[in-house]
Amino acid sequence: MSSQRAVEVVTRLAEHGLNADREAVTLLSQAADLPGVIDALLARTEAGALRVTAADVRAVTAGAAPPVETEEGVTPRYVESPVGTSLDHEPPDYLDDEKDPLASDAAAVEITDAITGHSTGTGVYDDFVAIFRDRYERLSELLAGRVPPRTVDAVRRMSGGAAAAVTGLISDIRTTRSGHTLIELEDPTGVFPCLINSDREAHAVVDELVLDECIGITGRLASDGEILFGDAITFPDIPRTYTPQTADYHAEAVLISDVHVGSQEFHATAWDRFTDWLHTDEAGHVEALLIAGDMIEGVGVYPGQDAELEIVDVYDQYRRFAELLKQVPGDLEIAMIPGNHDAVRLAEPQPAFTEELRSIMTAHDATIAANPSTVRVAGVPILMYHGVSLDELIAELPAEKASYDDPQLAMAHLLKKRHLVPQYGGRTRLAPERRDHLLIDEPPAVFHTGHVHKTGWGKYHNVLMVNAGCWQRQTAFQRSVNIDPDVGYAPIVDLRDLSLTVRKFV
Ligand code: D5M
Ligand code: FE
Ligand code: ZN
């Protein structure tokens, strides 16, 4: 699917107030009569329903796209230096137990939120153009040191047979009949085709490419100058030599996610044990509790959810969540961002909770921020992102490169692509803004996600990646889609050296 076609589909749906999941966009982009199909969808959609699924599209069209299969049981490829702890590990003994008094006097948690209240998007076509241009400009800048920064237009004017390189957003990927891969790279001056021969080393990474991500391809132009034969694919990436900022005194942060308060499956006992532990001496160095989204279960998030709700009103769910936060020691900073079950817009970046919701969660004076956000705890930058795009990468990439059992592999790909939602118009709904807030401008020291309800951790180019697991037992819906959640784990990072201890509370 070309990005242009996807943009057209998403724009048209938006005109009718509809959102669609990625598969639905793919199916719609293949529809010969898009306006007709949208009319049929509108006729079929119940009043108030805004979300178009692939099943909806199939119901009104004849065609069906094959499902994407993922396998299980893979060896982490991106985890270069696994974090030296395992589940239920005792925390290491620390020699230095003193806090730096100056450092702890300063605010332990700081946040820069460029999103909440700064939404620039109006949802019109121009915004899609602007966001792609912004994405291209900022990511190509990151590539500029390693790939000659030439525009498509400049490459077109080069003579055939010359050594050349193209940087751009992937507008199309196709496998040729002979098994080679044809990649079209787009920049503001045009589109250029690049062929990666299946016998080239670079061919080993073509299965991790997704549409709309920014890469550089280096190689040689064909004799007619019409196509680039690529030898190497370069990602924006985190430098291998990246040295993350660490704390200069003993501070720890607990990274959790997906509390899902309001669900009958919310594991209250695990939460009680966890918050009890936070009051013990062992937790004496914990300065911050970070929650990466899905505080509540929400209402009407998936089919049949009503039957599994313990609290049926969204505001009551937040009231209960606020009560549960009161169990957290008062001197501990809390920072939280929304997820797809929370009561904010689904399209990312998601702004922080509204005043109304904040007024419910006043007890802790929590830092309430957008999804995504970078928070600094004891000076250490932690990138928090709920993680909806992890589903997408896990579906698109081969199992050994991304899977639900090893969510940190998918996280590593986001770091490598320097983008939290590389593929536009996919299953992760994106709000058209003039600036691309999902780009990873500065590498964080810690990358914290949730959403897939599985724990996973590792390092990628010295960045500690932690996917947090959840506080909700398996729901009937999750059983139906084969999700076996990791419930009641709390990953705890020592910010002095980014070492990790994962504690289990079930
Ligand atoms: O997401 C919890 C997990 O469930 C996450 O990996 C996505 C997955 N999920 C959510 N909806 C679906 C559908 N419709 N099909 C397959 N997998 C799904 P959460 O955000 O907590 O619901
Ligand atoms: Fe969740
Ligand atoms: Zn989620």
Side-chain angles (χ1 to χ4, degrees), residues 111 113 115-116 336-338 349-352 368-373 384:
I111 188 140
D113 186 339
I115 296 158
T116 309
M336 53 181 145
I337 63 168
Q350 296 180 284
I368 291 173
N371 171 37
S373 280
M384 299 175 71

Side-chain angles (χ1 to χ4, degrees), residues 258 260 294 340-341 386 451 453 472:
D258 296 83
H260 287 268
D294 285 0
N340 55 311
H341 282 245
H386 179 59
H451 179 62
H453 293 211
Q472 179 189 37

Side-chain angles (χ1 to χ4, degrees), residues 319-378:
R319 281 183 198 102
R320 177 84 190 108
F321 174 65
E323 287 303 311
L324 291 164
L325 282 188
K326 288 180 185 165
Q327 294 173 209
V328 174
D331 59 344
L332 211 141
E333 300 271 354
I334 297 178
M336 53 181 145
I337 63 168
N340 55 311
H341 282 245
D342 285 295
V344 302
R345 78 166 183 212
L346 266 182
E348 299 179 9
Q350 296 180 284
F353 297 128
T354 56
E355 279 311 318
E356 197 176 3
L357 293 178
R358 279 169 200 255
S359 70
I360 295 175
M361 292 180 277
T362 48
H364 244 281
D365 195 23
T367 300
I368 291 173
N371 171 37
S373 280
T374 296
V375 301
R376 283 178 183 271
V377 180

Side-chain angles (χ1 to χ4, degrees), residues 6-215:
V7 164
E8 190 192 334
V9 168
V10 173
T11 311
R12 290 236 179 199
L13 290 171
E15 281 165 9
H16 294 93
L18 294 173
N19 262 312
D21 66 27
R22 190 205 40 196
E23 220 184 319
V25 174
T26 308
L27 291 175
L28 286 168
S29 70
Q30 293 156 358
D33 171 29
L34 183 59
V37 175
I38 290 180
D39 282 345
L41 281 169
L42 285 168
R44 200 174 168 273
T45 318
E46 290 165 33
L50 296 172
R51 195 164 158 187
V52 176
T53 64
D56 294 330
V57 180
R58 287 200 189 94
V60 299
T61 57
V68 186
E69 302 279 351
T70 52
E71 293 161 28
E72 299 198 341
V74 291
T75 319
R77 179 170 164 181
Y78 281 93
V79 183
E80 293 173 344
S81 49
V83 181
T85 46
S86 58
L87 301 179
D88 283 321
H89 242 233
E90 283 305 304
D93 282 340
Y94 297 119
L95 298 174
D96 172 17
D97 266 352
E98 293 306 313
K99 264 183 204 175
D100 174 344
L102 283 178
S104 51
D105 275 353
V109 176
E110 290 163 44
I111 188 140
T112 355
D113 186 339
I115 296 158
T116 309
H118 302 278
S119 185
T120 53
T122 52
V124 299
Y125 185 78
D126 274 359
D127 288 334
F128 285 98
V129 176
I131 202 169
F132 269 106
R133 187 170 288 237
D134 182 54
R135 177 188 286 218
Y136 166 77
E137 278 168 8
R138 286 156 64 205
L139 289 176
S140 62
E141 180 76 30
L142 288 175
L143 283 163
R146 286 166 295 142
V147 182
R150 234 179 248 122
T151 61
V152 163
D153 191 45
V155 174
R156 278 221 191 92
R157 284 186 271 107
M158 292 172 68
S159 39
V166 185
T167 297
L169 307 185
I170 300 179
S171 60
D172 196 22
I173 314 177
R174 262 172 292 152
T175 306
T176 67
R177 246 172 293 158
S178 29
H180 310 310
T181 302
L182 187 65
I183 301 169
E184 293 199 340
L185 291 185
E186 184 169 0
D187 78 2
T189 70
V191 180
F192 205 86
C194 309
L195 190 82
I196 311 291
N197 197 296
S198 61
D199 64 13
R200 290 298 143 107
E201 212 178 298
H203 204 263
V205 298
V206 299
D207 59 5
E208 59 192 67
L209 299 175
V210 298
L211 290 174
D212 309 325
E213 74 171 294
C214 184
I215 56 168

Side-chain angles (χ1 to χ4, degrees), residues 281-429:
D281 286 348
E282 277 181 341
H285 292 285
V286 174
E287 297 212 342
L289 171 66
L290 309 188
I291 314 176
D294 285 0
M295 313 308 147
I296 58 151
E297 172 66 3
V299 172
V301 180
Y302 59 81
Q305 191 197 23
D306 306 21
E308 297 189 54
L309 288 179
E310 184 187 319
I311 304 170
V312 296
D313 178 85
V314 166
Y315 289 97
D316 288 340
Q317 292 180 359
Y318 279 109
R319 281 183 198 102
R320 177 84 190 108
F321 174 65
E323 287 303 311
L324 291 164
L325 282 188
K326 288 180 185 165
Q327 294 173 209
V328 174
D331 59 344
L332 211 141
E333 300 271 354
I334 297 178
M336 53 181 145
I337 63 168
N340 55 311
H341 282 245
D342 285 295
V344 302
R345 78 166 183 212
L346 266 182
E348 299 179 9
Q350 296 180 284
F353 297 128
T354 56
E355 279 311 318
E356 197 176 3
L357 293 178
R358 279 169 200 255
S359 70
I360 295 175
M361 292 180 277
T362 48
H364 244 281
D365 195 23
T367 300
I368 291 173
N371 171 37
S373 280
T374 296
V375 301
R376 283 178 183 271
V377 180
V380 178
I382 303 177
L383 172 58
M384 299 175 71
Y385 170 60
H386 179 59
V388 170
S389 69
L390 297 175
D391 282 331
E392 206 161 324
L393 279 186
I394 290 168
E396 295 256 324
L397 270 50
E400 71 277 12
K401 292 191 175 185
S403 68
Y404 283 110
D405 285 333
D406 292 299
Q408 72 281 6
L409 301 186
M411 295 175 77
H413 282 287
L414 298 179
L415 293 172
K416 186 173 178 180
K417 298 177 194 305
R418 292 289 283 267
H419 205 286
L420 294 169
V421 188
Q423 185 166 312
Y424 213 99
R427 142 183 352 199
T428 317
R429 280 162 291 274

